[in-house]
């Protein structure tokens, strides 16, 4: 079909009266709170003959599978089949890098599935797995990041980010400091665990319901495991009970197991991990180790940074390479560093394959520079917030990878507005008075900035499609490639479509994300869901609207009808607003949208359109680590006040003030919720969530020891700040983005860096100041106790600190 010319509008242009910008509630809110929202695992009970899958998990971190006898499992009542490598008609691999055998012969982490039992019930499948005879030859295992570094166990590319000459930068420095820093990962702990449901129709086509952020990639992996083309596999994602990046690549293998089982048995197959299985079989946020050397001039301005970042990638590559690349691209955070040399490496360990997590490496890179500044500020005789502000990007300056920091002045604007609204200076004085009067408790106050690049750093992923149908009664159905994991993407897309077509949101329904409706989609990740899919929906709607405008104007009507049923103007002068169609300047003489649609149908006008959007202006040289990988930067800042108990290290968040730049919000209600949720999740990573593996040489080596909610501490109501103030930056519309909005998914997580820096200030206050104050991450109460104890002991031992590594 020939694409019609459309009315040209700027992507960011927003009508005076529009659905975008309204504080609309989440489109599934009522379903969520009443329990009527359906998730992948809710769909299986509707299918006759459903089989349930259960994995046999290996009890070793690294071992060779020497025997696998599944015969005893088949004798268990209810067991129908056991899936092994011999059953795979296509490729026995579930990874895009072809390094993740679906049915391995060499076990690479404790808890890896070596086969799957299919049975009439979950209990029968579990008992069947228990009956399988498996024997293993244990092999040496690398469990810690330091072990992998010592063994030089690395995988994938080793990129280097360079600008200027660090040797020259250090020669220009008045002060030089060195250090290292190791910090932990994070469990996604989404409410809904990984789940997939597969069935086969009479033509052999496979239909998979999957809790996945990337339906297209799930489709491709399932197809190559089955040895069939992608058009024989359809993947649908109704909704997810959370994803946070953990369902970008990890669901593919589970969907492939369900599909393989359905093809081989001819019956629907359900895979749903229980919580322990999900925690022991799926990837986490990457832990990192950083070694660094930094230089400052006499005024505290950064002159050079030299560092090596090593991430713990686990047993396979997964997304470790792009996660590392984003960490390198965000190690500058909000600060201009003239001379930079940062090497990145991915360690290979015998642990779950670490994967995407909200921020995708950005938080890890930003944590490194914030830790450096927090540790160096007292050595320079500066308040930490003053050191940070002195090093902010200025207009016209560029990142180490060569991209200009557009709207850099917003950093200062956000910073100054938040300092004022949070009463930062006055509270500093109050805290000093409190600390002087309370020998066994200390308070800390910190402010940290955020500059986060928005777009996939793999340029090809920055595209999206949409399919929009307008029916004869004026109702609208939209399909897009983004997935809903609770973040409100679908709600925003309904608002975008309603705005573009000029109809109420009640006229618009959104269909589940399916690969047979919108193909070749990118993952819903990188905070790009609204930007990409919103652009595609707007494109499709504007094609339809242009056709309807021609009808309403009278250009396509018979001469007799032009006098009574048309506006009699040029199509460019037709406007659509809240279900009414009128000529510019004459809103009172309006046609009903439904009548225009009715007329258009009878004039044989197409009432559907496929939309497409690709982010313009991006280019990236992965080898040189240079280019323009991001469409724009999101800015923000957070102020946190904490109080720490000197006897236990326990602490509470007294007050949090956040100010964040979301452009001109598509939905302020949803955006505020995303900022609050992102901040709390970031605070959890930095202060509470302590992932542990068994590092002993015993039989449990490599086992995840924090494999339940009883051993892995998540943020709860008791960790919420007593005062929590969240605001959106006003007057911040972003040109070139759908309706002037900005991404909101990932950037707010890094606002929680202010929590860790406030804890550092409180710990340092137990000493006499002027010393470097190290602090572990996560800064659990135990870690805080040891940090404040070190500060107290250092203050008592020597009145004048001796600073190691400082010139």
């Amino acid at each position: 079909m020939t694409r019609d010319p459309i009315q040209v509008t700027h992507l960011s242009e927003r009508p005076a009266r529009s659905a975008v910008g309204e504080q609309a509630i989440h489109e599934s809110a009522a379903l969520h709170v009443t329990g009527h929202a359906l998730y992948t695992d809710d769909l299986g009970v509707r299918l006759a003959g459903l089989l349930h899958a259960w994995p046999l998990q290996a009890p070793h971190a690294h071992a060779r599978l020497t025997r696998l006898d599944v015969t005893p499992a088949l004798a268990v009542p209810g067991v129908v089949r056991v899936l092994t490598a011999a059953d795979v008609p296509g490729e026995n691999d579930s990874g895009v890098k072809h390094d993740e055998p679906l049915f391995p012969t060499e076990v690479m982490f404790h808890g890896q599935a070596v086969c799957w039992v299919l049975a009439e019930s979950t209990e029968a499948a579990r008992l069947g797995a228990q009956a399988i005879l498996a024997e293993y030859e244990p092999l040496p295992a690398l469990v810690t990041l330091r072990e992998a570094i010592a063994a030089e166990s690395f995988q994938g590319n080793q990129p280097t980010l360079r600008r200027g000459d660090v040797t020259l930068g250090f020669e220009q420095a008045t002060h030089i400091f060195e250090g290292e820093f190791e910090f932990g990962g994070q469990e996604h702990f989404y409410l809904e665990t990984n789940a997939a449901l597969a069935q086969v129709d009479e033509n052999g086509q496979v239909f998979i319901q999957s809790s996945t952020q990337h339906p297209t990639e799930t489709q491709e992996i399932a197809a190559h495991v089955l040895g069939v083309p992608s058009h024989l596999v359809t993947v649908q994602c109704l909704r997810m009970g959370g994803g946070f990046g953990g369902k970008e690549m990890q669901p593919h293998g589970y969907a492939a197991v369900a599909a393989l089982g359905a093809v081989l048995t001819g019956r629907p197959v359900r895979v749903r991990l229980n919580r322990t299985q999900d925690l022991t079989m799926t990837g986490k946020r990457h832990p990192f180790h950083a070694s660094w050397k930094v230089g400052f001039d006499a005024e505290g301005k950064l002159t050079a940074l030299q560092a090596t970042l090593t991430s713990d990638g686990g047993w396979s590559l997964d997304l470790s390479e792009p996660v590392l690349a984003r960490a390198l691209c965000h190690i500058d955070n909000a600060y201009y560093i003239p001379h930079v040399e940062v090497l990145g490496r991915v360690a290979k360990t015998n642990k779950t394959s670490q994967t995407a997590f909200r921020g995708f490496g950005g938080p890890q890179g930003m944590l490194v520079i914030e830790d450096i500044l927090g540790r160096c500020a007292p050595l320079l005789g500066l308040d930490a917030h003053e050191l940070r502000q002195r090093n902010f990007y200025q207009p016209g300056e560029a990142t180490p990878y060569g991209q200009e920091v557009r709207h850099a002045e917003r950093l200062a604007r956000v910073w100054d507005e938040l300092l004022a609204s949070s009463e930062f200076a006055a509270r500093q004085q109050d805290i000093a008075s409190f600390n002087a009067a309370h020998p066994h408790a200390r308070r800390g106050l910190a402010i940290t900035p955020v500059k986060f690049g928005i777009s996939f750093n793999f340029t090809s992923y920055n595209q999206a499609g949409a399919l929009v149908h307008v029916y004869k009664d004026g109702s609208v159905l939209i399909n897009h490639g983004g997935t809903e994991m609770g973040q409100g993407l679908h709600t925003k897309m309904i608002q975008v479509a309603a705005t573009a077509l000029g109809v109420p949101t009640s006229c618009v329904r959104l269909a589940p994300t399916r690969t047979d409706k919108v193909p070749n989609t990118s993952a819903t990740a990188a905070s790009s869901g609204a930007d990409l899919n919103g652009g595609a929906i707007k494109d499709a709607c504007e094609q339809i609207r242009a056709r309807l405008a021609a009808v309403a104007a009278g250009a396509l009507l018979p001469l007799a009808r032009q006098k009574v049923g048309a506006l009699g103007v040029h199509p460019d002068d037709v406007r659509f607003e809240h279900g009414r169609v009128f000529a510019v300047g004459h809103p009172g003489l309006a046609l009903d949208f439904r009548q225009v649609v009715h007329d258009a149908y009878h004039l044989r006008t197409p009432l559907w359109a496929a939309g497409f959007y690709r982010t313009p202006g991006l280019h990236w040289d992965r080898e040189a680590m240079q280019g323009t990988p991001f469409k724009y930067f999101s800015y923000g800042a957070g102020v946190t006040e904490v109080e720490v108990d000197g006897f236990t290290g326990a602490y509470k968040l007294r007050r949090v003030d956040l100010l964040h730049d979301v452009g001109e919000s598509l939905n302020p209600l949803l955006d505020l919720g995303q900022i609050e949720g992102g901040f709390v999740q970031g605070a959890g990573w930095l202060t509470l969530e302590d992932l542990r593996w068994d590092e002993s040489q015993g039989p449990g080596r490599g086992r995840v020891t924090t494999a339940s909610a009883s051993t892995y501490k998540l943020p709860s109501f008791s960790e919420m700040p007593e005062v929590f103030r969240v605001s959106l930056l006003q007057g911040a519309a972003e040109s070139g983005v759908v309706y002037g909005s900005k991404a909101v998914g990932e950037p707010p997580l890094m606002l929680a860096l202010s929590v860790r820096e406030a804890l550092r200030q409180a710990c340092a206050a137990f000493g006499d100041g002027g010393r470097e104050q190290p602090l572990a991450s996560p800064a659990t109460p135990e870690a805080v106790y040891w940090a404040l104890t070190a500060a107290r002991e250092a203050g008592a031992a020597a009145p004048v600190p001796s600073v190691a590594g400082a010139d």
Side-chain angles (χ1 to χ4, degrees):
M1 172 177 166
T2 303
R3 183 184 172 111
D4 295 334
I6 64 170
Q7 245 179 280
V8 177
T9 62
H10 294 294
L11 188 63
S12 57
E13 183 181 325
R14 181 178 295 202
R17 292 182 59 193
S18 61
V20 293
E22 293 179 358
Q23 300 206 58
I25 64 170
H26 194 289
E27 48 90 25
S28 293
L31 299 178
H32 290 158
V33 299
T34 59
H36 287 85
L38 294 177
Y39 295 85
T40 298
D41 196 46
D42 297 319
L43 306 173
V45 296
R46 305 172 177 215
L47 301 175
L50 180 66
L51 295 177
H52 305 262
W54 191 275
L56 174 63
Q57 294 182 258
H60 302 284
H62 191 199
R64 188 171 290 107
L65 181 63
T66 57
R67 182 190 180 198
L68 186 66
D69 183 359
V70 304
T71 307
L74 300 175
V76 174
V79 171
V80 173
R81 185 156 187 159
V82 180
L83 301 179
T84 68
D87 295 312
V88 177
E91 185 175 350
N92 179 28
D93 196 278
S94 61
V96 297
K97 297 286 187 178
H98 306 284
D99 61 348
E100 298 182 36
L102 188 59
F103 301 98
T105 55
E106 182 182 354
V107 172
M108 295 299 290
F109 67 94
H110 196 290
Q112 186 172 16
V114 295
C115 64
W116 290 78
V117 178
L118 306 182
E120 304 284 353
S121 69
T122 302
E123 181 64 7
R126 184 185 69 83
L127 293 174
Q130 211 170 56
I132 292 172
L133 300 175
E135 296 178 359
Y136 305 88
E137 177 192 343
L139 299 171
L142 298 172
V143 174
T144 71
L145 188 49
R146 289 182 182 272
E147 287 173 349
I149 293 172
E152 297 186 349
S153 174
F154 302 114
Q155 55 185 327
N157 296 322
Q158 295 191 16
T160 300
L161 177 68
R162 285 191 179 90
R163 173 169 63 189
D165 181 347
V166 290
T167 301
L168 176 62
F170 288 125
E171 289 174 356
Q172 295 171 344
T174 307
H175 308 278
I176 297 175
F177 308 107
E178 297 182 60
E180 61 178 326
F181 182 34
E182 185 172 351
F183 49 94
Q186 186 177 21
E187 169 59 48
H188 300 85
F189 223 109
Y190 21 64
L191 292 178
E192 177 203 27
T193 58
N194 274 279
L197 177 68
Q199 58 193 114
V200 183
D201 70 10
E202 70 279 4
N203 294 316
Q205 296 180 84
V206 181
F207 179 54
I208 304 171
Q209 302 265 13
S210 177
S211 183
T212 175
Q213 292 175 236
H214 200 171
T216 289
E217 204 164 74
T218 301
Q219 173 194 32
E220 291 168 350
I221 294 295
H224 85 228
V225 168
L226 296 175
V228 300
S230 289
H231 72 246
L232 286 179
V233 178
T234 297
V235 174
Q236 173 172 296
C237 178
L238 185 59
R239 58 170 58 84
M240 286 169 279
F244 310 121
K247 295 177 181 175
E248 184 173 345
M249 283 194 66
Q250 301 279 305
H252 306 337
Y254 308 119
V257 167
L260 179 62
V263 168
L264 294 178
T265 65
R267 295 171 62 175
V269 173
R270 161 191 179 258
V271 173
R272 198 269 292 167
L273 304 186
N274 64 29
R275 181 61 65 186
T276 301
Q277 289 167 342
D278 202 276
L279 289 170
T280 56
M281 295 172 68
T282 67
K284 331 293 181 190
R285 184 188 293 280
H286 291 71
F288 268 65
H289 176 275
S291 57
W292 52 266
K293 179 180 178 182
V294 66
F296 297 89
D297 67 17
E299 283 71 46
K301 300 287 288 293
L302 286 156
T303 63
L305 173 65
Q306 189 173 41
T308 298
L309 302 188
T310 308
S311 72
D312 185 343
W315 75 282
S316 68
L317 270 175
D318 194 273
L319 289 164
S320 294
E321 289 176 311
V323 165
L324 179 64
R326 188 171 277 266
L328 296 183
C329 288
H330 284 79
I331 196 169
D332 59 325
N333 191 13
Y335 313 112
Y336 177 72
I337 311 171
H339 303 281
V340 176
E341 183 180 272
V342 185
L343 168 68
R345 306 179 298 188
V346 179
K348 185 171 185 176
T349 59
N350 294 110
K351 290 192 282 197
T352 55
S353 187
Q354 315 314 358
T355 190
F357 200 128
R358 197 174 192 169
F360 202 78
Q364 290 96 317
M366 294 161 72
L367 177 56
V368 171
I369 191 63
E370 294 300 339
D371 186 69
I372 289 172
L373 296 180
R375 289 165 67 171
C376 293
L379 305 180
L380 296 167
L382 294 171
D383 285 342
H385 73 277
E386 175 62 27
L387 178 61
R388 290 184 166 94
Q389 187 171 12
R390 288 188 186 187
N391 285 284
F392 280 171
Y393 276 105
Q394 300 300 315
E397 292 179 338
T399 64
Y401 46 89
Q403 178 166 351
E404 182 183 349
V405 181
R406 195 160 63 93
H407 298 320
E409 67 280 358
R410 283 193 191 175
L411 272 171
R413 182 181 156 204
V414 168
W415 191 262
D416 293 341
E417 286 186 19
L418 188 60
L419 285 175
S421 64
S422 67
E423 306 163 297
F424 191 87
R427 288 166 62 197
Q428 271 191 310
Q429 296 178 1
D430 292 343
I431 287 171
S433 299
F434 175 90
N435 289 347
H438 294 78
H440 304 304
R442 293 289 189 274
R443 290 178 180 172
L445 180 69
I447 178 170
T448 56
V450 165
K451 174 187 69 67
F452 191 82
I454 302 298
S455 290
F456 287 96
N457 53 4
F458 181 59
T459 304
S460 298
Y461 280 175
N462 295 289
Q463 59 175 300
L467 182 62
V468 176
H469 298 165
V470 177
Y471 295 97
K472 287 186 287 182
D473 63 355
S475 62
V476 180
L477 178 68
I478 62 175
N479 290 266
H480 65 88
T483 55
E484 176 63 53
M485 61 195 95
Q487 82 278 36
L489 175 62
H490 284 352
T491 308
K492 288 183 175 181
M493 295 305 95
I494 289 172
Q495 291 176 274
V496 168
T499 299
L501 288 172
V503 298
T505 54
S506 58
C507 292
V508 184
R509 184 175 78 84
L510 191 142
T513 308
R514 286 174 61 119
T515 56
D516 61 352
K517 296 295 186 293
V518 180
N520 308 323
T521 57
S522 299
T524 304
S527 303
S528 63
D531 289 359
L532 295 177
N533 295 289
I537 286 174
K538 188 170 185 286
D539 176 34
C541 289
E542 288 184 342
Q543 293 177 55
I544 297 170
R545 194 181 69 198
R547 300 168 195 158
L548 294 177
V551 172
L556 302 181
L557 289 171
L559 191 60
R561 288 289 311 279
Q562 287 184 21
K563 298 177 181 177
V564 293
L567 299 173
V569 297
H570 192 278
D572 287 350
D573 293 328
V574 176
R575 296 294 178 265
F576 295 74
E577 189 177 285
H578 208 68
R580 298 161 64 252
V581 184
F582 56 91
V584 173
H586 300 282
L589 302 175
L591 304 175
D592 186 80
F593 181 81
R594 281 181 284 190
Q595 181 61 51
V596 176
V597 169
H598 176 272
D599 289 348
Y601 169 77
H602 286 284
L603 289 168
R604 297 184 293 178
T605 303
L607 294 173
W608 60 269
F612 181 75
Y613 175 77
R614 61 181 180 187
T615 310
L618 304 182
H619 62 92
W620 180 242
D621 185 333
R622 190 182 70 169
E623 300 299 322
M625 290 290 288
Q626 292 291 306
T628 302
F630 306 122
K631 172 64 176 172
Y632 57 84
F633 295 99
S634 284
Y635 302 108
V639 170
T640 297
E641 180 181 337
V642 300
E643 183 175 324
V644 173
D645 176 24
F647 293 112
T648 64
Y651 47 82
K652 59 183 177 182
L653 304 190
R654 288 175 44 80
R655 177 174 165 181
V656 171
D657 295 75
L658 308 177
L659 179 59
H660 198 69
D661 170 21
V662 297
E664 192 169 1
S665 175
L666 293 176
N667 187 317
L669 185 66
L670 294 178
D671 286 349
L672 287 171
Q674 284 291 288
I675 294 168
E676 291 168 351
F679 172 85
V680 171
Q681 192 169 50
W685 170 51
L686 294 167
T687 66
L688 297 173
E689 301 179 43
D690 195 5
L691 275 171
R692 296 291 181 94
W693 280 266
D694 186 340
E695 298 176 13
S696 73
Q697 297 301 320
R701 178 170 170 80
R703 177 179 62 92
V704 178
T705 59
T706 49
S708 68
S710 64
T711 52
Y712 186 76
K713 175 62 175 170
L714 291 165
S716 62
F717 282 118
S718 59
E719 280 78 42
M720 291 293 287
E722 296 172 2
V723 179
F724 199 3
R725 301 180 179 181
V726 183
S727 300
L728 305 180
L729 185 67
Q730 299 301 303
E734 182 71 17
S735 61
V737 189
V738 63
Y739 290 125
S741 64
K742 272 188 175 183
V744 72
E746 293 169 304
L749 185 136
M750 280 69 78
L751 297 172
L753 291 164
S754 61
V755 179
R756 187 169 180 275
E757 291 307 303
L759 289 172
R760 187 197 305 278
Q761 298 293 332
C763 290
F766 281 94
D768 59 3
R771 290 179 173 80
E772 176 186 358
Q773 180 59 64
L775 181 61
S777 187
T780 60
E782 295 90 338
V784 169
Y785 174 77
W786 293 118
L788 70 87
T789 299
R792 208 157 30 194
E793 291 174 350
V800 179
S802 175
V803 179
D807 291 345

